[in-house]
Coordinates of all heavy atoms in Angstrom, one line a residue:
G1 N 121.4 59.7 146.6 CA 121.4 60.2 145.2 C 121.2 61.7 145.2 O 121.0 62.3 146.2
G2 N 121.1 62.3 144.0 CA 120.8 63.7 143.9 C 121.5 64.2 142.6 O 122.5 63.7 142.2
F3 N 120.9 65.3 142.2 CA 121.4 65.9 141.0 C 122.5 66.9 141.5 O 122.4 67.5 142.4 CB 120.2 66.8 140.4 CG 120.6 67.5 139.1 CD1 120.9 66.8 138.0 CD2 120.5 68.9 139.1 CE1 121.2 67.5 136.9 CE2 120.8 69.6 137.9 CZ 121.2 68.8 136.9
L4 N 123.6 66.9 140.7 CA 124.7 67.8 141.0 C 125.3 67.5 142.3 O 125.8 68.4 143.0 CB 124.4 69.3 140.8 CG 123.9 69.8 139.5 CD1 123.4 71.2 139.5 CD2 125.0 69.6 138.5
K5 N 125.2 66.3 142.7 CA 125.8 65.8 144.0 C 125.3 66.5 145.2 O 126.0 66.7 146.2 CB 127.3 65.8 143.9 CG 127.9 65.0 142.9 CD 129.4 65.0 142.8 CE 129.9 64.2 141.7 NZ 131.4 64.2 141.6
S6 N 124.0 67.0 145.1 CA 123.5 67.7 146.3 C 122.7 66.7 147.1 O 122.1 65.8 146.5 CB 122.6 68.9 145.9 OG 121.6 68.5 145.0
G7 N 122.6 66.8 148.4 CA 121.8 65.9 149.2 C 120.3 66.2 149.2 O 119.9 67.4 149.0
N8 N 119.5 65.2 149.2 CA 118.1 65.3 149.2 C 117.5 64.5 150.3 O 118.0 63.5 150.7 CB 117.5 65.0 147.8 CG 118.0 65.8 146.8 OD1 117.8 66.9 146.8 ND2 118.5 65.1 145.7
S9 N 116.2 64.9 150.7 CA 115.4 64.0 151.6 C 114.0 63.9 151.0 O 113.5 64.8 150.3 CB 115.3 64.7 153.0 OG 116.5 64.8 153.7
T10 N 113.4 62.7 151.2 CA 112.1 62.5 150.6 C 111.1 62.4 151.7 O 111.4 61.8 152.8 CB 112.1 61.1 149.9 OG1 113.2 61.1 148.9 CG2 110.8 60.8 149.3
F11 N 110.0 63.1 151.5 CA 109.0 63.2 152.5 C 107.7 62.6 152.0 O 107.3 62.8 150.7 CB 108.7 64.6 152.9 CG 109.8 65.3 153.7 CD1 110.9 65.8 153.1 CD2 109.7 65.3 155.1 CE1 111.9 66.5 153.8 CE2 110.7 65.8 155.9 CZ 111.8 66.4 155.2
L12 N 106.9 62.0 152.8 CA 105.5 61.5 152.4 C 104.6 62.4 153.3 O 104.7 62.4 154.5 CB 105.4 60.1 152.8 CG 106.3 59.1 152.1 CD1 106.0 57.6 152.6 CD2 106.1 59.1 150.6
I13 N 103.6 63.0 152.7 CA 102.7 63.9 153.3 C 101.2 63.4 152.9 O 100.9 63.6 151.7 CB 103.0 65.3 152.9 CG1 104.5 65.7 153.2 CG2 102.0 66.3 153.8 CD1 104.9 66.9 152.4
G14 N 100.5 62.8 153.8 CA 99.2 62.5 153.5 C 98.2 63.5 154.1 O 98.3 63.9 155.2
I15 N 97.4 64.1 153.2 CA 96.5 65.2 153.6 C 95.2 65.1 152.9 O 95.0 64.4 151.9 CB 97.1 66.6 153.1 CG1 97.4 66.6 151.6 CG2 98.3 66.9 153.9 CD1 97.8 68.0 151.1
D16 N 94.2 65.8 153.4 CA 92.8 65.8 152.8 C 93.0 66.7 151.6 O 93.8 67.6 151.5 CB 91.8 66.3 153.7 CG 91.5 65.4 154.9 OD1 91.5 64.2 154.6 OD2 91.3 65.9 156.1
D17 N 92.0 66.4 150.7 CA 92.0 67.3 149.4 C 92.0 68.8 149.7 O 92.5 69.6 149.1 CB 90.9 66.9 148.5 CG 91.0 65.5 147.9 OD1 92.1 64.9 148.1 OD2 90.1 65.1 147.2
S18 N 91.2 69.2 150.8 CA 91.1 70.5 151.2 C 92.3 71.2 151.6 O 92.5 72.4 151.7 CB 90.0 70.7 152.2 OG 90.3 70.0 153.4
Q19 N 93.4 70.4 152.1 CA 94.6 70.9 152.5 C 95.7 71.0 151.5 O 96.8 71.4 151.8 CB 95.0 70.1 153.8 CG 94.2 70.2 155.0 CD 94.9 69.5 156.1 OE1 95.1 68.3 156.0 NE2 95.1 70.1 157.2
L20 N 95.4 70.5 150.3 CA 96.5 70.4 149.3 C 97.1 71.8 149.0 O 98.4 71.9 149.0 CB 95.9 69.8 148.0 CG 96.9 69.7 146.8 CD1 98.1 68.8 147.2 CD2 96.2 69.2 145.6
E21 N 96.3 72.7 148.8 CA 96.9 74.1 148.4 C 97.7 74.7 149.6 O 98.8 75.2 149.4 CB 95.8 75.1 148.0 CG 95.2 74.8 146.7 CD 96.3 74.5 145.5 OE1 97.2 75.5 145.4 OE2 96.1 73.7 144.7
K22 N 97.2 74.4 150.8 CA 98.0 74.9 152.0 C 99.3 74.2 152.1 O 100.3 74.8 152.3 CB 97.1 74.6 153.3 CG 97.8 75.1 154.5 CD 96.8 74.8 155.7 CE 97.4 75.3 156.9 NZ 96.4 75.1 158.2
A23 N 99.4 72.9 151.8 CA 100.6 72.1 151.9 C 101.6 72.6 150.8 O 102.8 72.8 151.1 CB 100.4 70.6 151.7
K24 N 101.1 72.9 149.6 CA 101.9 73.4 148.6 C 102.5 74.7 148.9 O 103.7 75.0 148.6 CB 101.2 73.4 147.2 CG 101.0 72.0 146.7 CD 100.1 71.8 145.4 CE 99.8 73.0 144.6 NZ 98.9 72.6 143.4
E25 N 101.7 75.6 149.5 CA 102.2 76.9 149.9 C 103.3 76.8 151.0 O 104.2 77.6 151.0 CB 101.1 77.8 150.5 CG 100.2 78.4 149.4 CD 100.9 79.2 148.4 OE1 101.7 80.0 148.7 OE2 100.7 79.0 147.1
I26 N 103.1 75.9 152.0 CA 104.2 75.7 153.0 C 105.4 75.2 152.3 O 106.5 75.8 152.7 CB 103.7 74.6 154.0 CG1 102.5 75.1 154.8 CG2 104.8 74.2 154.9 CD1 101.8 74.1 155.6
I27 N 105.4 74.4 151.3 CA 106.6 74.0 150.7 C 107.2 75.1 149.9 O 108.4 75.4 149.9 CB 106.3 72.8 149.7 CG1 105.9 71.5 150.5 CG2 107.5 72.4 148.9 CD1 105.3 70.4 149.8
K28 N 106.4 75.9 149.1 CA 106.9 77.1 148.4 C 107.6 78.0 149.4 O 108.6 78.7 149.1 CB 105.8 77.8 147.7 CG 105.3 77.1 146.4 CD 104.3 77.9 145.8 CE 103.6 77.1 144.7 NZ 102.5 77.9 144.0
K29 N 107.0 78.2 150.6 CA 107.6 79.2 151.6 C 108.9 78.6 152.1 O 109.7 79.4 152.5 CB 106.5 79.3 152.7 CG 107.0 80.3 153.8 CD 105.8 80.5 154.8 CE 105.7 79.4 155.8 NZ 104.8 79.7 156.8
S30 N 109.0 77.3 152.2 CA 110.2 76.6 152.8 C 111.4 76.5 152.0 O 112.5 76.3 152.6 CB 109.7 75.3 153.4 OG 108.6 75.4 154.2
V31 N 111.2 76.4 150.7 CA 112.4 76.1 149.8 C 112.5 77.2 148.8 O 111.7 78.0 148.5 CB 112.2 74.8 149.1 CG1 111.9 73.7 150.1 CG2 111.1 74.8 148.1
K32 N 113.7 77.2 148.2 CA 114.1 78.3 147.2 C 114.7 77.5 146.0 O 115.4 76.5 146.1 CB 115.1 79.2 147.7 CG 114.5 80.0 148.9 CD 113.5 81.0 148.5 CE 113.0 81.9 149.8 NZ 111.7 81.7 150.1
S33 N 114.5 78.0 144.8 CA 115.2 77.6 143.7 C 116.4 78.5 143.4 O 116.4 79.6 144.0 CB 114.3 77.6 142.3 OG 113.2 76.8 142.5
E34 N 117.4 78.0 142.7 CA 118.6 78.8 142.6 C 119.2 78.6 141.1 O 119.0 77.5 140.6 CB 119.6 78.6 143.6 CG 120.1 77.2 143.8 CD 121.0 77.0 144.9 OE1 121.4 78.0 145.6 OE2 121.3 75.8 145.3
V35 N 119.8 79.6 140.7 CA 120.5 79.4 139.3 C 121.9 79.3 139.6 O 122.6 80.2 140.4 CB 120.2 80.6 138.4 CG1 121.0 80.5 137.1 CG2 118.7 80.8 138.1
I36 N 122.6 78.3 139.1 CA 124.0 78.1 139.2 C 124.7 78.0 137.9 O 124.1 77.7 137.0 CB 124.4 76.8 140.1 CG1 123.8 75.6 139.4 CG2 123.8 76.8 141.5 CD1 124.4 74.3 140.0
K37 N 126.0 78.4 137.9 CA 126.7 78.3 136.6 C 127.6 77.1 136.7 O 128.4 76.8 137.6 CB 127.6 79.6 136.5 CG 126.8 80.8 136.1 CD 127.7 82.0 135.7 CE 126.7 83.1 135.4 NZ 127.5 84.2 134.7
D38 N 127.6 76.4 135.5 CA 128.4 75.2 135.4 C 128.9 75.1 134.0 O 128.1 75.1 133.0 CB 127.5 73.9 135.7 CG 128.3 72.6 135.6 OD1 129.5 72.7 136.1 OD2 127.8 71.6 135.1
N39 N 130.3 75.3 133.8 CA 130.9 75.3 132.5 C 130.3 76.4 131.7 O 129.8 76.2 130.5 CB 130.8 73.9 131.8 CG 131.5 72.9 132.5 OD1 132.6 73.2 133.2 ND2 131.1 71.7 132.5
N40 N 130.1 77.6 132.2 CA 129.6 78.7 131.5 C 128.1 78.5 131.1 O 127.5 79.3 130.2 CB 130.3 79.2 130.3 CG 131.7 79.7 130.7 OD1 131.9 80.3 131.8 ND2 132.7 79.5 129.8
E41 N 127.4 77.6 131.7 CA 126.0 77.4 131.5 C 125.2 77.7 132.7 O 125.7 77.4 133.8 CB 125.7 75.9 131.0 CG 125.6 75.7 129.6 CD 125.2 74.3 129.3 OE1 124.0 74.1 129.4 OE2 126.0 73.4 129.0
E42 N 124.1 78.3 132.6 CA 123.3 78.6 133.8 C 122.3 77.4 134.0 O 121.5 77.1 133.0 CB 122.5 79.9 133.7 CG 123.4 81.1 133.9 CD 122.7 82.4 133.9 OE1 121.5 82.4 133.7 OE2 123.4 83.4 134.2
L43 N 122.2 76.9 135.1 CA 121.3 75.8 135.4 C 120.4 76.2 136.5 O 120.8 76.8 137.5 CB 122.1 74.5 135.9 CG 123.1 73.9 134.7 CD1 123.9 72.8 135.5 CD2 122.3 73.4 133.6
K44 N 119.1 75.9 136.4 CA 118.2 76.3 137.5 C 118.0 75.0 138.3 O 117.7 73.9 137.8 CB 116.7 76.7 137.0 CG 115.9 77.2 138.0 CD 114.8 78.0 137.5 CE 114.0 78.5 138.7 NZ 112.9 79.4 138.3
V45 N 118.3 75.1 139.6 CA 118.2 74.0 140.5 C 117.0 74.3 141.5 O 116.9 75.3 142.1 CB 119.5 73.8 141.3 CG1 119.3 72.6 142.3 CG2 120.7 73.5 140.4
Y46 N 116.0 73.3 141.3 CA 114.9 73.6 142.1 C 115.0 73.0 143.6 O 115.7 72.0 143.8 CB 113.6 72.8 141.5 CG 113.2 73.5 140.1 CD1 113.8 72.9 138.9 CD2 112.5 74.5 140.0 CE1 113.5 73.6 137.7 CE2 112.2 75.2 138.9 CZ 112.7 74.7 137.7 OH 112.4 75.2 136.5
G47 N 114.4 73.6 144.5 CA 114.5 73.2 145.9 C 113.7 72.0 146.2 O 113.8 71.4 147.2

């Protein structure tokens, strides 16, 4: 499945509470959001 026919993968990440912010930072560093045009509309697609 996926939005706009793009492929996705699902990850399960078990961490201690103290590592939550670190894990979120790793994800932010690893992926990018992008703006695409579809029928003269701009759509933001999150990574």
Side-chain angles (χ1 to χ4, degrees):
F3 181 63
L4 297 176
K5 299 182 182 177
S6 62
N8 295 307
S9 294
T10 302
F11 289 87
L12 300 178
I13 307 161
I15 56 170
D16 290 324
D17 290 356
S18 63
Q19 291 184 304
L20 178 61
E21 291 306 314
K22 182 178 185 179
K24 288 176 11 182
E25 285 301 316
I26 292 169
I27 294 168
K28 284 181 188 177
K29 178 174 85 171
S30 302
V31 305
K32 303 284 184 245
S33 298
E34 58 189 348
V35 176
I36 62 169
K37 287 192 176 186
D38 185 39
N39 296 330
N40 292 328
E41 267 189 76
E42 287 187 351
L43 300 171
K44 187 165 186 176
V45 179
Y46 295 94

